[in-house]
Amino acid sequence: LTAIALIRIISTSALDNGLALTPTMGWLHWERFMCNIDCDELFMEMADVMVKVGWKDAGCEFVCIDDCWPSHKRDTQGRLQTDPKRFPSGIKKLADYVHAKGLKLGIYADIGTSTCAGYPGSLGYYDIDAKTFADWGVDLLKFYRRFMPDWHQLGEGYANMSRALNQTGRSIAEVHLKWKIPDYEAIRKTCNHCVKSILDWTADHQKILVPVAGPGGWNDPDMLIIGNFGLSHDQQQTQMALWAIMAAPLLMSSDLRNICPKAKELLQNKQIIAINQDPLGKQGYHTLKGDSFEDTGGPRRCIISVAMLPSWQLCDPKCNVTQILPVYKEMGVQNLFSEVMVQVNPTGTTLLTVSPIKSSHL
Amino acid sequence: LTAIALIRIISTSALDNGLALTPTMGWLHWERFMCNIDCDELFMEMADVMVKVGWKDAGCEFVCIDDCWPSHKRDTQGRLQTDPKRFPSGIKKLADYVHAKGLKLGIYADIGTSTCAGYPGSLGYYDIDAKTFADWGVDLLKFYRRFMPDWHQLGEGYANMSRALNQTGRSIAEVHLKWKIPDYEAIRKTCNHCVKSILDWTADHQKILVPVAGPGGWNDPDMLIIGNFGLSHDQQQTQMALWAIMAAPLLMSSDLRNICPKAKELLQNKQIIAINQDPLGKQGYHTLKGDSFEDTGGPRRCIISVAMLPSWQLCDPKCNVTQILPVYKEMGVQNLFSEVMVQVNPTGTTLLTVSPIKSSHL
């Protein structure tokens, strides 16, 4: 279910409530647990852990259910029902549990006739489904587009679901997923390059993507797979840095009950989260692609001249440069003529912040 | 320089000396350091670390130089010379240093006109080069085949170099590298699949490869890249397990001075090394390829029936089963009708050992 998405607040009161003023942060079960059973326990334990070991304090607020949660049949009144094997206690009870922890609950549905995994879609049931989600106390809807008989109806469908959610009176954040742009199915097959492919695609389309991102609506390159099995630590740092710069929702999909300490530290890194959660809500642009590194097997040393930084204006007359990744390091006061030396690991990332120093403070 | 190779002892006295009776263990600079400079320091520091923090005790004996070490020109007597910038003190001094630590030194040359990186090859200089290496006190030669004007001369070339090394009177283990079988250059481009590709290729050719491996000569799928940047920990466990089962030389190519503790623990894992260093020297066969795992996002549980294990005979009447990876776990006494439950992480490995229990001990 990897895709580029747009989170949009549809409740009229949403912006007043402060919903999604910064990119959504939380946990989403899919990439790590897919259609596993015992979900009552899984989601409640994850909510427990989020509160107990620093996730909530770090800003993670949402516990999100992805596909596979419903029964294959609606009830006699046309309402979606939970799969009794996966969620024997139902979503309402889970929402209450999650809310009691001071967290919020997300759920998943499809705009068309069927979800990705073949469960009932919402087409023809937008009002009923919106009411069901509101009755259950759901706070966020990931609204996918998998099977739509007539793709021209998409816009109308989204408008109708937005209106339906709005009429429930409950503030529900809505995530729209644009399926297969880019072709994530193909990317998955050579998945070492996932993160890089997402970067390339986003960079190629940044003229469209970047301007629409901002408080209330974010481009979403989907889940963080940090803490899972496929990425080296350097690659995990790369994903975290890119998601931060892209002002992307930080939805982790790993087993928080049993996560490697280095991955946890990375996901809870205050400096990186601060970049992502910057109140201005500006998604970063990809400004330069270089390929001048020598192939020396190990980390590459690289001299960056401050005047070449995208944020060089901040250094006129002076700025503070701080390295956030791969390790925190204060690089001191710099000016437009400064050069800073950084080291970049293969498949890794060096993340810098640049802060202006006002002349009055010099 | 990734390739399948065969290590062969060429000194007549080699087998008596116990050279390469088990797969070579040590460190090889290439994959991590390529043509980096400051090699005097690099190799001496690596030798220091190998002795100080458990590598030598774990069985790592060789400190190996790969390509890029020579000057582009031979001396007036036709001898190879070290690049004065990379090895200002020369190889002899390094060999002395390494020997004083109780370790051995490996070096690299090419059977043809040029090495991979464009340095002088040994064609026409076999006797001189063998004598040079022996004079320097080299203990192992990685003898590559990159540029050979007439490929039919390969066999003759190897025989001549073997004879030349033999005539020096010094016991020098010789590693023959068969270049581009499989096509590692192509594999590198989708490098997440490296380890798996090596497994597949080895499995496809095991009828040829496995019987020729044994004390004195080993199939070599090249360096361990555990502790570097590109593999997740699960993938690192997979490489370690496969190299152990393949009775492959364990030549690490990482920065041992600054290696992640988990990678170090894996590389020094006594149980895995014991599989690799088994005195029988039998390379393992690939016996079964299954694809019955569900795609559930996380670790897969898998029930193995003991009667299906390749080593099932050891369990008649009873055997001890121990899980070595992903974590050590004694699975107790089993018989042919037992089933054991294991968990396999995505891109990871579950490694088991099976030991017979003699009826007299039951």
Side-chain angles (χ1 to χ4, degrees):
Chain A
L1 299 193
T2 337
I4 291 289
L6 186 69
I7 290 186
R8 202 161 64 86
I9 303 308
I10 55 88
S11 163
T12 45
S13 58
L15 285 168
D16 296 337
N17 289 345
L19 271 179
L21 287 182
T22 57
T24 315
M25 289 178 65
W27 180 84
L28 177 58
H29 93 275
W30 185 258
E31 201 55 44
R32 179 61 181 73
F33 292 100
M34 295 189 180
C35 300
N36 274 10
I37 52 167
D38 301 329
C39 291
D40 277 358
E41 201 181 293
L42 175 68
F43 281 80
M44 286 193 289
E45 284 182 7
M46 220 55 78
D48 293 346
V49 171
M50 281 176 68
V51 174
K52 267 186 206 160
V53 293
W55 298 104
K56 191 182 165 199
D57 292 341
C60 298
E61 190 182 16
F62 283 89
V63 178
C64 299
I65 303 166
D66 208 285
D67 204 352
C68 280
W69 67 266
S71 285
H72 281 288
K73 286 199 173 173
R74 291 173 176 272
D75 73 5
T76 51
Q77 296 174 269
R79 292 178 302 193
L80 288 169
Q81 314 175 85
T82 45
D83 178 338
K85 280 190 193 148
R86 299 188 73 237
F87 289 94
S89 308
I91 304 296
K92 172 87 181 88
K93 199 168 164 188
L94 178 59
D96 291 346
Y97 188 89
V98 164
H99 292 153
K101 298 267 168 192
L103 301 169
K104 294 180 173 174
L105 188 72
I107 208 166
Y108 165 99
D110 195 282
I111 194 171
T113 54
S114 159
T115 72
C116 270
Y119 294 92
S122 293
L123 186 64
Y125 295 86
Y126 295 151
D127 288 300
I128 295 176
D129 290 353
K131 187 166 182 314
T132 302
F133 299 147
D135 288 349
W136 285 345
V138 163
D139 305 291
L140 180 144
L141 174 64
K142 177 174 174 176
F143 204 41
Y144 216 63
R145 49 170 89 170
R146 180 73 173 96
F147 292 118
M148 191 71 177
D150 177 359
W151 289 100
H152 296 97
Q153 293 182 338
L154 265 186
E156 195 187 333
Y158 277 118
N160 286 337
M161 187 49 144
S162 293
R163 185 191 40 72
L165 287 168
N166 199 11
Q167 281 175 356
T168 66
R170 185 173 177 87
S171 294
I172 301 180
E174 195 183 353
V175 185
H176 294 173
L177 282 132
K178 298 192 179 73
W179 189 67
K180 282 227 169 189
I181 310 169
D183 182 357
Y184 281 91
E185 295 305 311
I187 289 171
R188 286 172 72 94
K189 286 177 190 154
T190 55
C191 206
N192 199 20
H193 303 292
C194 283
V195 172
K196 195 177 168 304
S197 298
I198 289 171
L199 171 65
D200 288 344
W201 186 88
T202 306
D204 288 346
H205 296 80
Q206 62 183 359
K207 282 188 185 167
I208 301 160
L209 293 171
V210 174
V212 301
W218 311 98
N219 291 309
D220 181 3
D222 222 340
M223 289 160 272
L224 294 168
I225 54 173
I226 295 164
N228 282 338
F229 308 96
L231 299 185
S232 72
H233 191 67
D234 284 288
Q235 291 160 356
Q236 295 183 34
Q237 289 194 337
T238 297
Q239 186 179 37
M240 192 68 186
L242 289 175
W243 265 233
I245 291 170
M246 292 195 285
L250 300 179
L251 289 169
M252 310 173 285
S253 193
S254 55
D255 190 345
L256 302 180
R257 300 168 300 185
N258 181 27
I259 191 169
C260 140
K262 279 175 80 179
K264 182 183 161 198
E265 193 187 319
L266 175 62
L267 285 162
Q268 294 190 359
N269 184 305
K270 283 191 171 59
Q271 286 90 12
I272 308 177
I273 292 174
I275 295 170
N276 177 265
Q277 296 287 306
D278 187 294
L280 276 178
K282 295 268 186 205
Q283 177 171 347
Y285 277 96
H286 182 268
T287 56
L288 195 66
K289 186 171 185 168
D291 198 16
S292 58
F293 287 123
E294 272 185 57
D295 194 14
T296 52
R300 277 72 160 162
R301 286 194 195 84
C302 173
I303 294 167
I304 297 175
S305 90
V306 167
M308 292 292 287
L309 290 175
S311 45
W312 62 270
Q313 292 104 326
L314 302 178
C315 298
D316 189 8
K318 295 204 172 178
C319 61
N320 257 314
V321 177
T322 309
Q323 179 178 290
I324 309 298
L325 288 176
V327 288
Y328 183 86
K329 188 170 146 194
E330 292 177 5
M331 306 188 91
V333 176
Q334 309 291 341
N335 61 42
L336 279 182
F337 305 100
S338 306
E339 288 185 332
V340 293
M341 166 81 90
V342 299
Q343 192 167 293
V344 187
N345 289 341
T347 73
T349 287
T350 296
L351 177 65
L352 302 178
T353 59
V354 178
S355 320
I357 303 173
K358 295 224 175 105
S359 350
S360 57
H361 295 104
L362 292 174
Chain B
L1 300 193
T2 339
I4 290 288
L6 186 68
I7 289 185
R8 201 161 64 87
I9 303 307
I10 57 85
S11 163
T12 45
S13 57
L15 285 168
D16 296 338
N17 289 344
L19 271 179
L21 288 181
T22 57
T24 314
M25 288 177 67
W27 181 83
L28 177 58
H29 93 274
W30 186 259
E31 201 54 45
R32 178 63 179 75
F33 292 100
M34 297 190 178
C35 300
N36 274 8
I37 52 167
D38 300 329
C39 291
D40 277 357
E41 199 181 295
L42 175 69
F43 280 79
M44 286 193 288
E45 284 182 6
M46 221 55 79
D48 293 346
V49 170
M50 281 176 69
V51 174
K52 268 188 203 157
V53 293
W55 298 104
K56 191 183 166 200
D57 292 341
C60 298
E61 190 182 14
F62 282 89
V63 179
C64 298
I65 303 166
D66 208 286
D67 203 352
C68 281
W69 67 265
S71 286
H72 281 288
K73 286 199 171 173
R74 292 174 175 272
D75 72 6
T76 50
Q77 296 174 269
R79 293 177 300 193
L80 288 169
Q81 316 174 85
T82 45
D83 178 338
K85 281 190 192 150
R86 299 189 73 238
F87 289 93
S89 308
I91 305 296
K92 173 88 181 86
K93 199 167 164 191
L94 178 60
D96 290 346
Y97 188 89
V98 162
H99 293 153
K101 297 266 167 191
L103 300 169
K104 293 181 174 172
L105 188 73
I107 207 165
Y108 165 98
D110 195 283
I111 193 172
T113 54
S114 159
T115 72
C116 271
Y119 295 91
S122 294
L123 187 64
Y125 295 88
Y126 296 150
D127 289 300
I128 296 176
D129 290 353
K131 185 163 183 315
T132 302
F133 299 146
D135 288 348
W136 285 345
V138 163
D139 306 291
L140 180 144
L141 173 64
K142 177 173 173 177
F143 204 41
Y144 216 63
R145 48 169 91 170
R146 179 73 173 95
F147 292 116
M148 192 70 178
D150 177 359
W151 290 98
H152 297 98
Q153 294 182 338
L154 266 186
E156 194 187 331
Y158 278 118
N160 286 338
M161 188 49 144
S162 294
R163 185 192 39 73
L165 288 167
N166 200 11
Q167 281 175 354
T168 66
R170 185 173 176 86
S171 294
I172 301 179
E174 194 184 354
V175 185
H176 294 172
L177 282 131
K178 299 191 176 74
W179 191 66
K180 283 228 168 188
I181 309 169
D183 182 356
Y184 281 89
E185 295 304 311
I187 289 171
R188 286 173 71 95
K189 287 179 187 151
T190 55
C191 204
N192 198 21
H193 303 291
C194 283
V195 172
K196 195 176 168 306
S197 296
I198 290 171
L199 171 64
D200 288 345
W201 185 89
T202 307
D204 288 347
H205 297 80
Q206 63 184 356
K207 282 188 187 168
I208 301 161
L209 293 172
V210 174
V212 301
W218 310 98
N219 292 308
D220 181 3
D222 222 339
M223 290 160 269
L224 294 168
I225 53 172
I226 294 164
N228 281 339
F229 308 96
L231 299 185
S232 72
H233 191 67
D234 284 287
Q235 291 161 357
Q236 295 182 35
Q237 288 194 339
T238 297
Q239 186 179 36
M240 191 69 186
L242 289 174
W243 265 234
I245 291 169
M246 292 195 286
L250 300 179
L251 289 169
M252 309 174 286
S253 194
S254 55
D255 190 346
L256 302 180
R257 300 167 301 184
N258 180 27
I259 192 169
C260 141
K262 279 175 81 178
K264 182 183 161 199
E265 192 187 323
L266 175 62
L267 284 163
Q268 293 190 0
N269 183 305
K270 283 191 169 59
Q271 287 91 12
I272 307 176
I273 291 174
I275 294 169
N276 177 265
Q277 296 287 307
D278 187 293
L280 275 178
K282 295 268 186 204
Q283 177 172 347
Y285 278 97
H286 182 267
T287 56
L288 196 66
K289 186 172 184 167
D291 198 15
S292 59
F293 286 122
E294 273 185 56
D295 193 13
T296 53
R300 278 71 161 160
R301 286 194 194 83
C302 171
I303 294 166
I304 296 174
S305 90
V306 168
M308 292 293 288
L309 289 174
S311 44
W312 62 270
Q313 293 104 325
L314 302 177
C315 298
D316 190 8
K318 295 201 172 180
C319 61
N320 258 314
V321 177
T322 309
Q323 178 178 290
I324 308 297
L325 288 176
V327 287
Y328 184 85
K329 189 170 147 192
E330 291 177 6
M331 304 187 93
V333 175
Q334 309 290 341
N335 62 41
L336 280 182
F337 306 100
S338 306
E339 289 184 330
V340 293
M341 166 81 90
V342 298
Q343 194 167 291
V344 187
N345 289 341
T347 72
T349 287
T350 296
L351 178 65
L352 303 177
T353 59
V354 177
S355 320
I357 303 173
K358 296 224 175 104
S359 350
S360 57
H361 295 106
L362 292 173

